Amino acid sequence: MISQTRDIVQRSLDALLEDEHFLPELQGKAREQAFTSLTAILSTPNHVHKSYLRVPLQNGRVDRIPAFRVQHNNALGPYKGGIRFHESVNEDEVVNLASLMTLKNALHDVPFGGGKGGIIINPRDYSDKELNLIAKKYVQYFSDVLGPDKDIPAPDMGSGEREMDWMMAEYKSIHPGYPYRGSFTGKSVVNGGSLGRREATGKGVFFTFRYMIHDFIHNHKNLLTKTDNIFAKTALTYEDKPLTIAVQGFGNVGSVAALEAHQSTHLQNKVVAVSDRNVTLRNEDGLDIPALIEFTMRNKGDLPTTEEQLREIDVKAEISDREDVLYLDVDVLILAALEDQIHGDNMEKVKAGILVEGANAPITTEADKFLSDKGVIIVPDILANAGGVIVSYFEWLQGRETQFYSEDEVFRMLYEKMQETLDTVLPQFFGDPFPLRQNCYIHSVTKLSTILYRQGKLY
Ligand code: GLU
Protein backbone atom coordinates (compact mmCIF):
# COMPACT_ATOMS: atom_id res chain seq x y z
CA MET A 1 0.00 0.00 0.00
CA ILE A 2 2.78 2.36 0.95
CA SER A 3 4.81 1.67 -2.12
CA GLN A 4 1.68 2.03 -4.27
CA THR A 5 1.48 5.79 -3.70
CA ARG A 6 5.20 6.19 -4.28
CA ASP A 7 5.14 4.08 -7.46
CA ILE A 8 2.27 5.98 -9.00
CA VAL A 9 3.85 9.31 -8.11
CA GLN A 10 7.05 8.12 -9.81
CA ARG A 11 5.16 6.96 -12.89
CA SER A 12 3.41 10.32 -13.03
CA LEU A 13 6.75 12.11 -12.85
CA ASP A 14 8.16 9.90 -15.61
CA ALA A 15 5.21 10.78 -17.82
CA LEU A 16 5.67 14.49 -17.12
CA LEU A 17 9.39 14.33 -17.84
CA GLU A 18 8.57 13.08 -21.34
CA ASP A 19 5.77 15.60 -21.86
CA GLU A 20 7.27 18.49 -23.82
CA HIS A 21 4.38 20.81 -22.92
CA PHE A 22 5.19 20.52 -19.24
CA LEU A 23 7.55 23.30 -18.13
CA PRO A 24 9.13 23.65 -21.61
CA GLU A 25 11.57 26.22 -20.23
CA LEU A 26 13.27 23.40 -18.32
CA GLN A 27 15.59 21.56 -20.69
CA GLY A 28 18.60 19.22 -20.60
CA LYS A 29 20.52 18.90 -17.34
CA ALA A 30 18.31 21.43 -15.53
CA ARG A 31 15.24 19.36 -16.40
CA GLU A 32 16.83 16.18 -15.11
CA GLN A 33 17.91 17.91 -11.90
CA ALA A 34 14.42 19.33 -11.37
CA PHE A 35 12.84 15.90 -11.71
CA THR A 36 15.37 14.36 -9.34
CA SER A 37 14.37 17.00 -6.79
CA LEU A 38 10.68 16.35 -7.43
CA THR A 39 11.08 12.65 -6.76
CA ALA A 40 12.91 13.41 -3.51
CA ILE A 41 10.33 15.96 -2.37
CA LEU A 42 7.20 13.99 -3.22
CA SER A 43 8.38 10.59 -2.03
CA THR A 44 9.35 11.66 1.49
CA PRO A 45 7.59 13.64 4.21
CA ASN A 46 8.99 16.96 5.43
CA HIS A 47 8.58 15.93 9.08
CA VAL A 48 7.63 12.87 11.09
CA HIS A 49 6.81 13.80 14.69
CA LYS A 50 6.46 10.98 17.16
CA SER A 51 5.63 11.14 20.87
CA TYR A 52 4.66 8.77 23.65
CA LEU A 53 1.65 10.35 25.33
CA ARG A 54 1.79 9.74 29.06
CA VAL A 55 -1.73 8.92 30.16
CA PRO A 56 -2.71 8.02 33.74
CA LEU A 57 -5.67 5.64 33.46
CA GLN A 58 -8.60 5.26 35.82
CA ASN A 59 -7.43 1.82 36.94
CA GLY A 60 -4.19 3.30 38.25
CA ARG A 61 -2.03 2.21 35.31
CA VAL A 62 0.05 4.79 33.44
CA ASP A 63 0.27 4.13 29.69
CA ARG A 64 2.72 5.65 27.26
CA ILE A 65 0.68 5.72 24.05
CA PRO A 66 2.61 6.12 20.77
CA ALA A 67 1.29 8.96 18.63
CA PHE A 68 2.32 10.56 15.34
CA ARG A 69 1.92 13.72 13.36
CA VAL A 70 3.35 13.49 9.87
CA GLN A 71 3.75 16.63 7.77
CA HIS A 72 4.26 15.52 4.21
CA ASN A 73 4.29 18.65 2.10
CA ASN A 74 3.14 22.27 2.48
CA ALA A 75 3.83 23.73 -0.95
CA LEU A 76 0.13 24.49 -1.42
CA GLY A 77 -0.62 25.74 2.09
CA PRO A 78 -0.63 24.64 5.75
CA TYR A 79 -0.44 20.88 6.34
CA LYS A 80 -3.91 19.35 6.62
CA GLY A 81 -5.27 15.93 7.47
CA GLY A 82 -7.06 13.85 10.05
CA ILE A 83 -5.94 12.16 13.25
CA ARG A 84 -6.69 8.46 13.32
CA PHE A 85 -7.49 6.75 16.62
CA HIS A 86 -6.91 3.09 15.80
CA GLU A 87 -4.90 0.16 17.09
CA SER A 88 -3.42 -0.64 13.66
CA VAL A 89 -1.83 2.82 13.26
CA ASN A 90 1.89 2.72 12.44
CA GLU A 91 4.44 5.19 11.16
CA ASP A 92 4.56 3.95 7.55
CA GLU A 93 0.81 4.04 7.29
CA VAL A 94 0.59 7.60 8.62
CA VAL A 95 3.32 8.71 6.20
CA ASN A 96 1.43 7.18 3.30
CA LEU A 97 -1.86 8.71 4.39
CA ALA A 98 -0.17 12.11 4.73
CA SER A 99 1.14 11.88 1.18
CA LEU A 100 -2.35 10.96 -0.03
CA MET A 101 -3.59 14.18 1.60
CA THR A 102 -0.99 16.21 -0.34
CA LEU A 103 -2.20 14.63 -3.58
CA LYS A 104 -5.89 14.94 -2.64
CA ASN A 105 -5.66 18.64 -1.85
CA ALA A 106 -3.69 19.33 -5.02
CA LEU A 107 -6.21 17.40 -7.11
CA HIS A 108 -9.18 19.38 -5.84
CA ASP A 109 -7.43 22.75 -5.66
CA VAL A 110 -7.77 23.01 -1.91
CA PRO A 111 -5.08 25.45 -0.67
CA PHE A 112 -3.60 23.06 1.90
CA GLY A 113 -0.67 20.71 2.04
CA GLY A 114 -0.80 17.14 3.31
CA GLY A 115 -0.50 15.84 6.84
CA LYS A 116 -1.87 13.04 8.97
CA GLY A 117 -1.89 11.99 12.58
CA GLY A 118 -2.38 8.76 14.42
CA ILE A 119 -2.70 7.47 17.95
CA ILE A 120 -2.19 3.75 18.54
CA ILE A 121 -5.26 2.88 20.60
CA ASN A 122 -8.53 1.07 20.30
CA PRO A 123 -10.88 3.82 21.48
CA ARG A 124 -13.35 1.17 22.66
CA ASP A 125 -10.85 0.18 25.39
CA TYR A 126 -10.95 3.59 27.07
CA SER A 127 -13.53 5.54 29.04
CA ASP A 128 -14.72 8.94 27.79
CA LYS A 129 -12.67 10.64 30.47
CA GLU A 130 -9.53 8.76 29.39
CA LEU A 131 -10.15 9.56 25.73
CA ASN A 132 -10.53 13.21 26.65
CA LEU A 133 -7.14 13.08 28.36
CA ILE A 134 -5.54 11.29 25.39
CA ALA A 135 -6.90 13.94 23.00
CA LYS A 136 -5.62 16.77 25.20
CA LYS A 137 -2.21 15.13 25.59
CA TYR A 138 -1.92 14.82 21.83
CA VAL A 139 -2.33 18.58 21.50
CA GLN A 140 0.09 19.26 24.37
CA TYR A 141 2.81 17.06 22.87
CA PHE A 142 2.43 18.41 19.32
CA SER A 143 1.33 21.96 20.11
CA ASP A 144 4.46 23.58 18.65
CA VAL A 145 3.91 22.14 15.20
CA LEU A 146 0.12 22.64 14.99
CA GLY A 147 -1.88 25.80 14.33
CA PRO A 148 -4.36 27.45 11.93
CA ASP A 149 -1.58 28.51 9.55
CA LYS A 150 0.81 25.62 10.19
CA ASP A 151 -0.97 22.31 10.41
CA ILE A 152 -4.70 21.75 10.84
CA PRO A 153 -5.89 18.32 11.98
CA ALA A 154 -9.39 16.91 11.47
CA PRO A 155 -11.27 13.70 12.26
CA ASP A 156 -10.28 10.39 10.73
CA MET A 157 -11.02 6.78 11.58
CA GLY A 158 -11.96 6.52 15.26
CA SER A 159 -12.26 10.26 15.87
CA GLY A 160 -15.05 12.76 15.32
CA GLU A 161 -16.48 16.13 16.37
CA ARG A 162 -16.16 15.34 20.07
CA GLU A 163 -12.40 14.80 19.83
CA MET A 164 -11.94 17.88 17.62
CA ASP A 165 -13.84 20.03 20.15
CA TRP A 166 -11.63 18.76 22.95
CA MET A 167 -8.48 19.32 20.93
CA MET A 168 -9.41 22.82 19.82
CA ALA A 169 -10.19 23.74 23.44
CA GLU A 170 -6.78 22.46 24.53
CA TYR A 171 -5.06 24.36 21.73
CA LYS A 172 -6.87 27.51 22.86
CA SER A 173 -5.70 27.02 26.48
CA ILE A 174 -2.10 26.48 25.40
CA HIS A 175 -2.08 29.55 23.11
CA PRO A 176 -4.22 32.15 24.91
CA GLY A 177 -5.02 35.24 22.86
CA TYR A 178 -4.20 33.62 19.50
CA PRO A 179 -6.67 32.65 16.77
CA TYR A 180 -7.85 29.15 17.49
CA ARG A 181 -11.00 28.41 15.46
CA GLY A 182 -8.97 27.32 12.46
CA SER A 183 -6.67 25.07 14.51
CA PHE A 184 -8.90 22.00 14.06
CA THR A 185 -11.71 21.25 11.62
CA GLY A 186 -14.54 18.76 11.87
CA LYS A 187 -15.66 20.42 15.12
CA SER A 188 -19.27 20.45 16.27
CA VAL A 189 -21.38 23.25 14.83
CA VAL A 190 -21.84 24.98 18.22
CA ASN A 191 -18.07 25.06 18.55
CA GLY A 192 -17.40 26.72 15.19
CA GLY A 193 -17.74 23.63 12.97
CA SER A 194 -19.39 23.82 9.57
CA LEU A 195 -22.88 22.64 8.83
CA GLY A 196 -22.60 19.59 6.61
CA ARG A 197 -19.04 18.63 7.64
CA ARG A 198 -20.12 15.36 9.23
CA GLU A 199 -21.91 14.18 6.09
CA ALA A 200 -19.44 15.74 3.64
CA THR A 201 -17.22 12.72 2.91
CA GLY A 202 -20.11 10.28 2.40
CA LYS A 203 -22.07 12.77 0.30
CA GLY A 204 -19.01 13.51 -1.80
CA VAL A 205 -18.39 9.79 -2.36
CA PHE A 206 -21.86 9.26 -3.73
CA PHE A 207 -21.80 12.51 -5.71
CA THR A 208 -18.55 11.50 -7.45
CA PHE A 209 -19.99 8.19 -8.56
CA ARG A 210 -23.38 9.65 -9.49
CA TYR A 211 -21.89 12.51 -11.50
CA MET A 212 -19.61 10.14 -13.39
CA ILE A 213 -22.17 7.47 -14.21
CA HIS A 214 -25.18 9.73 -14.74
CA ASP A 215 -24.36 13.29 -15.75
CA PHE A 216 -20.95 12.87 -17.35
CA ILE A 217 -21.85 9.88 -19.48
CA HIS A 218 -25.01 11.60 -20.72
CA ASN A 219 -23.17 14.78 -21.62
CA HIS A 220 -20.20 13.07 -23.27
CA LYS A 221 -21.89 10.29 -25.18
CA ASN A 222 -19.85 11.09 -28.29
CA LEU A 223 -16.53 10.84 -26.54
CA LEU A 224 -17.43 7.56 -24.88
CA THR A 225 -18.88 5.78 -27.89
CA LYS A 226 -16.01 6.78 -30.19
CA THR A 227 -13.07 5.59 -28.13
CA ASP A 228 -12.03 1.98 -27.67
CA ASN A 229 -10.97 2.67 -24.09
CA ILE A 230 -12.04 -0.29 -21.94
CA PHE A 231 -13.25 1.91 -19.10
CA ALA A 232 -15.55 3.82 -21.45
CA LYS A 233 -17.05 0.48 -22.46
CA THR A 234 -17.59 -0.48 -18.82
CA ALA A 235 -19.18 2.90 -18.06
CA LEU A 236 -21.59 2.64 -21.00
CA THR A 237 -22.91 -0.72 -19.81
CA TYR A 238 -24.20 1.03 -16.68
CA GLU A 239 -25.91 3.89 -18.44
CA ASP A 240 -29.65 4.20 -17.76
CA LYS A 241 -29.72 0.86 -16.07
CA PRO A 242 -31.06 0.29 -12.55
CA LEU A 243 -27.94 -0.26 -10.47
CA THR A 244 -27.36 -2.49 -7.50
CA ILE A 245 -25.02 -1.11 -4.84
CA ALA A 246 -23.19 -2.72 -1.93
CA VAL A 247 -21.47 -0.68 0.77
CA GLN A 248 -18.64 -2.01 2.93
CA GLY A 249 -18.45 -0.07 6.21
CA PHE A 250 -21.35 1.65 7.91
CA GLY A 251 -19.56 4.42 9.80
CA ASN A 252 -19.55 8.12 9.04
CA VAL A 253 -18.67 7.59 5.37
CA GLY A 254 -20.45 4.33 4.48
CA SER A 255 -23.77 5.08 6.18
CA VAL A 256 -24.03 8.52 4.60
CA ALA A 257 -23.06 7.21 1.14
CA ALA A 258 -25.65 4.42 1.53
CA LEU A 259 -28.32 6.91 2.54
CA GLU A 260 -27.49 9.14 -0.42
CA ALA A 261 -27.73 6.16 -2.75
CA HIS A 262 -31.00 5.11 -1.13
CA GLN A 263 -32.54 8.57 -1.53
CA SER A 264 -31.04 9.48 -4.90
CA THR A 265 -33.59 10.50 -7.49
CA HIS A 266 -31.01 10.80 -10.28
CA LEU A 267 -30.36 7.13 -10.62
CA GLN A 268 -32.56 4.12 -10.32
CA ASN A 269 -30.53 2.29 -7.79
CA LYS A 270 -30.97 -0.03 -4.88
CA VAL A 271 -28.64 -0.51 -1.93
CA VAL A 272 -28.78 -4.30 -1.72
CA ALA A 273 -26.06 -4.88 0.89
CA VAL A 274 -24.27 -3.08 3.71
CA SER A 275 -21.69 -4.35 6.16
CA ASP A 276 -19.73 -3.41 9.25
CA ARG A 277 -17.10 -5.04 11.51
CA ASN A 278 -19.63 -7.76 12.49
CA VAL A 279 -21.97 -8.60 9.62
CA THR A 280 -23.15 -8.24 6.05
CA LEU A 281 -26.87 -7.53 5.61
CA ARG A 282 -28.41 -8.32 2.26
CA ASN A 283 -31.72 -7.82 0.52
CA GLU A 284 -32.06 -8.02 -3.26
CA ASP A 285 -35.11 -5.76 -3.18
CA GLY A 286 -33.17 -3.05 -1.37
CA LEU A 287 -32.44 -2.42 2.31
CA ASP A 288 -34.22 0.08 4.52
CA ILE A 289 -31.17 2.30 5.08
CA PRO A 290 -32.83 4.99 7.27
CA ALA A 291 -34.05 2.28 9.69
CA LEU A 292 -30.57 0.75 9.82
CA ILE A 293 -28.96 4.13 10.50
CA GLU A 294 -31.41 4.74 13.31
CA PHE A 295 -30.53 1.35 14.78
CA THR A 296 -26.79 2.08 14.68
CA MET A 297 -27.34 5.38 16.46
CA ARG A 298 -28.89 3.52 19.39
CA ASN A 299 -26.29 0.71 19.36
CA LYS A 300 -22.82 2.29 19.45
CA GLY A 301 -22.61 2.37 15.68
CA ASP A 302 -23.16 -1.37 15.12
CA LEU A 303 -25.61 -2.86 12.59
CA PRO A 304 -28.14 -5.49 13.74
CA THR A 305 -26.56 -8.93 13.99
CA THR A 306 -29.58 -11.12 14.84
CA GLU A 307 -32.98 -11.95 13.33
CA GLU A 308 -34.55 -10.62 16.47
CA GLN A 309 -32.91 -7.22 16.15
CA LEU A 310 -33.97 -7.03 12.51
CA ARG A 311 -37.57 -7.89 13.46
CA GLU A 312 -37.54 -5.18 16.13
CA ILE A 313 -36.87 -2.51 13.51
CA ASP A 314 -38.94 -4.23 10.85
CA VAL A 315 -36.04 -4.60 8.39
CA LYS A 316 -35.90 -7.57 6.06
CA ALA A 317 -32.39 -8.82 5.40
CA GLU A 318 -30.25 -11.91 5.21
CA ILE A 319 -27.44 -11.93 7.74
CA SER A 320 -24.03 -13.26 6.75
CA ASP A 321 -20.30 -12.94 7.29
CA ARG A 322 -18.87 -9.42 7.22
CA GLU A 323 -16.56 -10.19 4.27
CA ASP A 324 -19.41 -11.37 2.04
CA VAL A 325 -20.22 -7.82 1.01
CA LEU A 326 -17.07 -7.77 -1.13
CA TYR A 327 -18.01 -10.70 -3.35
CA LEU A 328 -21.64 -10.03 -4.22
CA ASP A 329 -22.88 -9.91 -7.76
CA VAL A 330 -23.59 -6.17 -7.74
CA ASP A 331 -22.87 -3.33 -10.15
CA VAL A 332 -21.19 -1.03 -7.66
CA LEU A 333 -19.17 -1.66 -4.53
CA ILE A 334 -18.43 1.29 -2.27
CA LEU A 335 -15.45 0.55 -0.01
CA ALA A 336 -15.85 2.68 3.10
CA ALA A 337 -14.16 0.61 5.81
CA LEU A 338 -10.42 0.05 6.20
CA GLU A 339 -7.41 -0.09 3.91
CA ASP A 340 -6.17 -3.21 2.09
CA GLN A 341 -9.59 -4.85 1.89
CA ILE A 342 -9.19 -6.12 -1.66
CA HIS A 343 -5.86 -7.83 -2.18
CA GLY A 344 -4.10 -10.65 -4.01
CA ASP A 345 -5.96 -13.37 -2.15
CA ASN A 346 -9.51 -12.18 -2.72
CA MET A 347 -9.39 -9.99 -5.85
CA GLU A 348 -10.61 -12.77 -8.13
CA LYS A 349 -13.83 -13.07 -6.16
CA VAL A 350 -14.85 -9.42 -6.69
CA LYS A 351 -17.73 -9.16 -9.18
CA ALA A 352 -18.66 -5.45 -9.15
CA GLY A 353 -17.85 -3.46 -12.29
CA ILE A 354 -17.35 -0.18 -10.45
CA LEU A 355 -15.46 0.18 -7.16
CA VAL A 356 -15.59 3.46 -5.29
CA GLU A 357 -12.96 4.15 -2.62
CA GLY A 358 -14.67 5.89 0.28
CA ALA A 359 -11.89 4.79 2.64
CA ASN A 360 -8.23 5.59 1.99
CA ALA A 361 -6.29 2.88 0.14
CA PRO A 362 -8.79 -0.02 0.42
CA ILE A 363 -7.33 -1.81 -2.65
CA THR A 364 -3.74 -3.08 -2.78
CA THR A 365 -1.46 -2.45 -5.78
CA GLU A 366 -1.76 -6.02 -6.98
CA ALA A 367 -5.56 -6.04 -6.83
CA ASP A 368 -5.75 -2.58 -8.36
CA LYS A 369 -3.81 -3.73 -11.42
CA PHE A 370 -5.67 -7.00 -11.75
CA LEU A 371 -9.11 -5.36 -11.62
CA SER A 372 -8.15 -2.38 -13.81
CA ASP A 373 -6.78 -4.74 -16.48
CA LYS A 374 -10.21 -6.38 -16.57
CA GLY A 375 -11.84 -2.99 -17.23
CA VAL A 376 -13.23 -2.53 -13.72
CA ILE A 377 -13.57 1.19 -13.01
CA ILE A 378 -11.89 2.09 -9.73
CA VAL A 379 -12.78 5.55 -8.50
CA PRO A 380 -9.73 6.34 -6.33
CA ASP A 381 -9.76 7.66 -2.76
CA ILE A 382 -8.14 11.00 -3.57
CA LEU A 383 -10.94 11.72 -6.04
CA ALA A 384 -13.95 10.19 -4.28
CA ASN A 385 -13.42 10.85 -0.58
CA ALA A 386 -12.23 14.47 -0.69
CA GLY A 387 -15.60 15.84 0.50
CA GLY A 388 -14.34 15.83 4.09
CA VAL A 389 -11.28 17.94 3.50
CA ILE A 390 -13.12 20.24 1.08
CA VAL A 391 -15.73 21.07 3.73
CA SER A 392 -12.90 21.30 6.29
CA TYR A 393 -11.53 24.07 4.08
CA PHE A 394 -14.92 25.80 4.16
CA GLU A 395 -14.94 25.39 7.94
CA TRP A 396 -11.49 26.94 8.22
CA LEU A 397 -12.61 29.89 6.06
CA GLN A 398 -15.80 30.36 8.09
CA GLY A 399 -13.73 30.33 11.29
CA ARG A 400 -11.54 33.13 9.93
CA GLU A 401 -14.46 35.27 8.85
CA THR A 402 -16.64 34.24 11.84
CA GLN A 403 -19.38 34.14 9.27
CA PHE A 404 -21.21 30.89 8.67
CA TYR A 405 -22.84 29.37 5.59
CA SER A 406 -26.15 27.50 5.46
CA GLU A 407 -26.07 23.75 4.95
CA ASP A 408 -27.46 24.15 1.42
CA GLU A 409 -24.69 26.57 0.58
CA VAL A 410 -22.04 24.20 1.94
CA PHE A 411 -23.28 21.28 -0.17
CA ARG A 412 -23.68 23.48 -3.25
CA MET A 413 -20.07 24.66 -2.90
CA LEU A 414 -18.87 21.12 -2.20
CA TYR A 415 -20.49 19.67 -5.33
CA GLU A 416 -19.30 22.59 -7.43
CA LYS A 417 -15.72 21.97 -6.36
CA MET A 418 -15.90 18.21 -6.89
CA GLN A 419 -17.57 18.68 -10.27
CA GLU A 420 -14.78 21.01 -11.41
CA THR A 421 -12.25 18.28 -10.63
CA LEU A 422 -14.33 15.58 -12.30
CA ASP A 423 -14.77 17.71 -15.43
CA THR A 424 -10.99 17.99 -15.58
CA VAL A 425 -10.01 14.36 -15.02
CA LEU A 426 -12.85 12.39 -16.62
CA PRO A 427 -12.36 13.47 -20.28
CA GLN A 428 -8.71 12.42 -20.00
CA PHE A 429 -9.63 9.19 -18.27
CA PHE A 430 -12.05 8.09 -20.96
CA GLY A 431 -9.55 9.13 -23.63
CA ASP A 432 -6.25 7.82 -22.23
CA PRO A 433 -5.35 4.20 -21.61
CA PHE A 434 -4.62 4.87 -17.90
CA PRO A 435 -6.78 3.87 -14.94
CA LEU A 436 -8.46 6.77 -13.17
CA ARG A 437 -6.04 6.63 -10.21
CA GLN A 438 -3.06 7.25 -12.49
CA ASN A 439 -4.96 10.06 -14.18
CA CYS A 440 -5.71 11.79 -10.88
CA TYR A 441 -2.12 11.42 -9.71
CA ILE A 442 -0.80 12.97 -12.92
CA HIS A 443 -3.10 15.91 -12.37
CA SER A 444 -1.97 16.40 -8.74
CA VAL A 445 1.70 15.88 -9.50
CA THR A 446 1.54 18.37 -12.38
CA LYS A 447 0.07 20.98 -10.06
CA LEU A 448 2.55 20.34 -7.24
CA SER A 449 5.52 20.25 -9.62
CA THR A 450 4.57 23.53 -11.26
CA ILE A 451 4.18 25.22 -7.89
CA LEU A 452 7.44 23.81 -6.53
CA TYR A 453 9.22 25.01 -9.68
CA ARG A 454 7.76 28.51 -9.38
CA GLN A 455 8.74 28.56 -5.70
CA GLY A 456 12.33 27.89 -6.76
CA LYS A 457 12.54 24.53 -5.02
CA LEU A 458 13.75 22.37 -7.88
CA TYR A 459 17.46 23.03 -7.99
N1 GLU B 1 -9.49 12.49 7.39
C1 GLU B 1 -10.15 13.00 6.23
C2 GLU B 1 -9.41 12.56 4.97
O1 GLU B 1 -8.73 11.56 4.95
C3 GLU B 1 -10.42 14.49 6.32
C4 GLU B 1 -9.23 15.37 6.47
C5 GLU B 1 -9.55 16.82 6.76
O2 GLU B 1 -10.70 17.21 6.80
O3 GLU B 1 -8.57 17.57 6.93
O4 GLU B 1 -9.55 13.15 3.93
Side-chain angles (χ1 to χ4, degrees):
M1 184 262 286
I2 290 138
S3 56
Q4 178 179 24
T5 312
R6 214 172 286 153
D7 285 355
I8 310 180
V9 165
Q10 190 56 55
R11 258 183 276 143
S12 308
L13 286 172
D14 293 345
L16 282 185
L17 178 64
E18 299 303 318
D19 179 355
E20 58 197 29
H21 303 293
F22 179 69
L23 296 181
E25 59 270 51
L26 266 178
Q27 291 294 337
K29 272 237 155 321
R31 191 172 180 85
E32 261 171 48
Q33 180 57 42
F35 274 83
T36 309
S37 289
L38 278 170
T39 301
I41 294 172
L42 297 179
S43 65
T44 43
N46 287 349
H47 308 283
V48 176
H49 305 284
K50 178 172 183 179
S51 297
Y52 291 88
L53 313 180
R54 187 175 53 77
V55 185
L57 302 175
Q58 278 158 320
N59 63 8
R61 219 174 62 215
V62 177
D63 276 5
R64 296 288 305 231
I65 301 175
F68 302 94
R69 185 69 192 169
V70 173
Q71 299 177 321
H72 178 259
N73 187 277
N74 63 349
L76 292 182
Y79 301 105
K80 181 92 191 79
I83 303 175
R84 182 168 283 204
F85 287 45
H86 199 275
E87 55 202 337
S88 72
V89 162
N90 61 71
E91 184 175 324
D92 282 350
E93 178 195 65
V94 187
V95 169
N96 187 57
L97 292 168
S99 63
L100 283 178
M101 288 306 300
T102 302
L103 295 164
K104 196 187 297 187
N105 289 331
L107 177 64
H108 294 274
D109 261 325
V110 174
F112 289 133
K116 200 78 168 197
I119 307 181
I120 309 185
I121 53 163
N122 178 352
R124 290 174 190 262
D125 294 343
Y126 295 87
S127 69
D128 286 356
K129 196 171 165 196
E130 289 166 341
L131 285 173
N132 170 275
L133 188 58
I134 293 169
K136 287 199 295 198
K137 288 276 176 174
Y138 186 93
V139 181
Q140 290 166 19
Y141 278 62
F142 295 116
S143 87
D144 283 354
V145 298
L146 302 176
D149 290 303
K150 282 193 206 164
D151 184 352
I152 309 134
D156 200 81
M157 212 189 291
S159 59
E161 346 184 295
R162 183 181 67 162
E163 288 72 20
M164 295 307 115
D165 285 357
W166 289 339
M167 287 179 156
M168 183 203 75
E170 188 62 14
Y171 181 86
K172 181 170 178 256
S173 309
I174 298 173
H175 304 278
Y178 283 91
Y180 60 89
R181 274 197 196 80
S183 57
F184 287 82
T185 61
K187 306 180 295 292
S188 66
V189 172
V190 286
N191 226 343
S194 176
L195 289 166
R197 173 63 184 82
R198 200 186 60 75
E199 300 85 359
T201 311
K203 278 193 173 254
V205 167
F206 186 71
F207 174 81
T208 304
F209 154 72
R210 201 260 294 151
Y211 184 77
M212 177 168 172
I213 291 301
H214 182 73
D215 311 50
F216 191 85
I217 296 185
H218 271 279
N219 298 339
H220 296 80
K221 214 37 204 273
N222 264 349
L223 171 83
L224 271 91
T225 41
K226 270 201 233 128
T227 122
D228 52 3
N229 176 311
I230 45 169
F231 302 114
K233 290 198 169 53
T234 306
L236 285 171
T237 59
Y238 292 111
E239 197 204 359
D240 293 332
K241 173 180 167 233
L243 301 173
T244 52
I245 301 179
V247 184
Q248 186 204 25
F250 209 68
N252 183 38
V253 182
S255 67
V256 174
L259 186 64
E260 287 290 295
H262 178 81
Q263 292 172 339
S264 167
T265 48
H266 289 76
L267 291 171
Q268 293 180 45
N269 50 29
K270 268 188 297 196
V271 182
V272 295
V274 297
S275 77
D276 69 2
R277 67 199 178 98
N278 303 312
V279 279
T280 291
L281 298 177
R282 241 186 315 165
N283 182 342
E284 276 173 30
D285 300 323
L287 288 163
D288 184 346
I289 302 297
L292 290 172
I293 291 181
E294 226 207 277
F295 181 92
T296 58
M297 293 203 293
R298 284 184 287 109
N299 291 280
K300 293 191 168 171
D302 288 338
L303 285 167
T305 51
T306 63
E307 296 292 346
E308 198 186 331
Q309 286 175 328
L310 285 172
R311 255 197 314 276
E312 252 169 53
I313 55 169
D314 203 16
V315 168
K316 290 188 184 41
E318 255 175 71
I319 302 172
S320 67
D321 198 71
R322 66 172 182 176
E323 253 207 29
D324 290 350
V325 73
L326 301 175
Y327 316 127
L328 300 174
D329 193 3
V330 289
D331 300 310
V332 186
L333 173 59
I334 298 178
L335 298 162
L338 293 162
E339 49 235 37
D340 297 342
Q341 295 301 292
I342 301 186
H343 43 75
D345 293 338
N346 68 0
M347 61 195 184
E348 287 179 29
K349 294 200 264 173
V350 173
K351 299 196 187 79
I354 303 176
L355 302 185
V356 188
E357 296 187 334
N360 289 314
I363 305 176
T364 65
T365 315
E366 187 185 1
D368 191 62
K369 176 156 185 354
F370 172 81
L371 293 166
S372 299
D373 286 351
K374 285 201 332 190
V376 172
I377 295 178
I378 299 178
V379 187
D381 43 15
I382 62 167
L383 181 63
N385 75 16
V389 73
I390 292 173
V391 176
S392 274
Y393 167 50
F394 299 154
E395 179 175 337
W396 182 80
L397 283 176
Q398 293 171 83
R400 298 208 145 198
E401 296 160 3
T402 46
Q403 187 131 18
F404 292 85
Y405 315 144
S406 72
E407 190 170 74
D408 284 350
E409 249 172 314
V410 169
F411 291 137
R412 184 186 52 73
M413 285 161 42
L414 167 67
Y415 295 151
E416 220 173 76
K417 198 140 191 59
M418 293 193 93
Q419 185 177 332
E420 259 172 49
T421 310
L422 287 160
D423 285 337
T424 312
V425 294
L426 291 179
Q428 283 167 9
F429 167 57
F430 288 122
D432 291 347
F434 299 131
L436 189 49
R437 192 186 312 277
Q438 175 77 66
N439 236 285
C440 291
Y441 272 51
I442 291 185
H443 192 77
S444 300
V445 169
T446 305
K447 172 131 204 229
L448 286 159
S449 305
T450 310
I451 283 180
L452 286 163
Y453 173 65
R454 302 257 173 255
Q455 289 183 0
K457 299 266 165 75
L458 300 187
Y459 290 99

